[in-house]
Amino acid sequence: MANYIVGDIQGCFDELQALLKKVAFSVDHDTLWLAGDLVARGPKSLETLRFVKSLGGSAEVILGNHDLHLLAVSLGIHPVKAKDKTANILTAPDSEELLTWLRQQPLLAEHDEFVMCHAGISPQWDLDTARDAAREVEAILQSDDWRWLIANMYADQPNLWDSSLTGLARYRYIINAYTRMRFCDVQGHLDMACKLPPSQITNEQLMPWFLVPNRVQLEKTVLFGHWAALEGYQGQKVVGLDTGCVWGGCLTMLRWDDQRYFTQTALND
Ligand SMILES: [Mn+2]
């Protein structure tokens, strides 16, 4: 009965399988937690989606920016890019089934001791606010209005949470915080432009979201992916798990129950 958490897979299906083998993952007894971005850029996004869906209740999956982008591409809102290597998902016989399953996945998943999301938790949110925010957007993605939201989600503003935000402005902030956030300024405004590792930041006004001075302290550990340039991060109740497998790094898996890490270096395809 172990909980295994893995960062961004992005189609690195063979590396995921190698990790599961390494730990002798049991579909009947263990739970696999995946921190979003199952698809894009790596070689086997279709295989990854099919496999994770087949795990049913043994997998806890949350949505990343690439997962939402795939939904946008499926609607024709954005063109299919060859470099994403996701075109075969859209033409697969089970495409509809896979994409419907994907948009049923949450933005925030929860264990007694940790929460998991793709980019992070807004520094302005306590856990109750984070939960409510996730549930608001998830309800739309799971409804017939999902096309409207996906078509209109792309915008960098508003970049600061205000509980009085309504409609699209509110949803955009929630989606950006959960799936795209990396740096914030000292007041907690999200900065969507900078993708550098923190060590290369010369602008002292920017800091990783989890180091914003007045960030609300959460009672559970936050597990997140998305930020390959961090090359993994272990801070005070904050753990980054994206170690850039798709960029030639490795896939990282944390076994929560004994806090042991397992890694699989990128395999040549
Ligand atoms: Mn991402």
Side-chain angles (χ1 to χ4, degrees):
M1 287 284 284
N3 292 281
Y4 294 95
I5 308 104
V6 179
D8 306 31
I9 299 170
Q10 296 202 239
C12 294
F13 177 74
D14 294 341
E15 290 85 346
L16 174 65
Q17 294 302 324
L19 275 179
L20 293 173
K21 201 173 165 190
K22 207 174 274 190
V23 300
F25 178 81
S26 162
V27 177
D28 296 326
H29 298 108
D30 300 327
T31 305
L32 180 62
W33 299 71
L34 301 172
D37 280 0
L38 298 185
V39 301
R41 311 290 164 86
K44 295 186 180 174
S45 291
L46 175 59
E47 290 84 346
T48 303
L49 279 184
R50 283 177 175 156
F51 172 71
V52 176
K53 179 171 178 285
S54 79
L55 291 175
S58 303
E60 295 280 348
V61 182
I62 51 90
L63 293 164
N65 53 308
H66 283 294
D67 307 312
L68 293 175
H69 188 74
L70 176 63
L71 293 172
V73 170
S74 78
L75 294 174
I77 293 160
H78 289 281
V80 192
K81 287 187 190 145
K83 69 173 180 182
D84 280 345
K85 301 178 187 163
T86 51
N88 63 344
I89 297 172
L90 305 173
T91 54
D94 51 348
S95 179
E96 175 81 34
E97 226 178 299
L98 292 170
L99 294 172
T100 301
W101 170 80
L102 190 62
R103 71 179 171 84
Q104 309 299 320
Q105 304 312 311
L107 291 169
L108 177 75
E110 209 163 334
H111 176 274
D112 285 348
E113 296 169 356
F114 63 80
V115 293
M116 177 184 73
C117 53
H118 184 59
I121 306 266
S122 163
Q124 298 175 267
W125 288 346
D126 59 23
L127 216 39
D128 283 337
T129 308
R131 278 184 199 112
D132 291 347
R135 300 299 94 93
E136 273 186 64
V137 168
E138 290 159 11
I140 302 172
L141 288 176
Q142 292 165 18
S143 78
D144 289 341
D145 289 334
W146 73 277
R147 293 179 186 82
W148 166 80
L149 182 57
I150 294 286
N152 291 288
M153 71 180 174
Y154 289 94
D156 291 346
Q157 298 290 334
N159 61 3
L160 195 68
W161 175 251
D162 181 329
S163 59
S164 68
L165 286 172
T166 57
L168 264 183
R170 185 175 179 95
Y171 306 143
R172 281 173 175 159
Y173 179 88
I174 294 169
I175 289 171
N176 286 342
Y178 269 125
T179 69
R180 294 176 61 209
M181 174 174 71
R182 288 187 181 90
F183 287 102
C184 294
D185 71 11
V186 72
Q187 285 98 28
H189 295 88
L190 311 184
D191 179 286
M192 288 300 165
C194 185
K195 294 184 179 180
L196 291 171
S199 59
Q200 287 176 32
I201 290 295
T202 49
N203 175 357
E204 287 174 8
Q205 298 304 309
L206 290 183
M207 59 208 73
W209 62 268
F210 45 82
L211 296 181
V212 169
N214 293 322
R215 181 169 80 90
V216 179
Q217 293 304 305
L218 306 175
E219 49 274 39
K220 297 187 182 187
T221 298
V222 181
L223 304 176
F224 69 102
H226 185 58
W227 201 347
L230 285 178
E231 300 177 346
Y233 180 82
Q234 293 163 45
Q236 183 63 28
K237 294 183 110 177
V238 178
V239 177
L241 289 165
D242 183 7
T243 46
C245 189
V246 74
W247 309 116
C250 63
L251 197 61
T252 292
M253 172 187 263
L254 166 63
R255 184 163 60 202
W256 180 258
D257 313 83
D258 61 0
Q259 295 291 306
R260 189 169 159 197
Y261 284 86
F262 302 87
T263 57
Q264 173 62 51
T265 49
L267 301 165
N268 294 320
D269 287 280

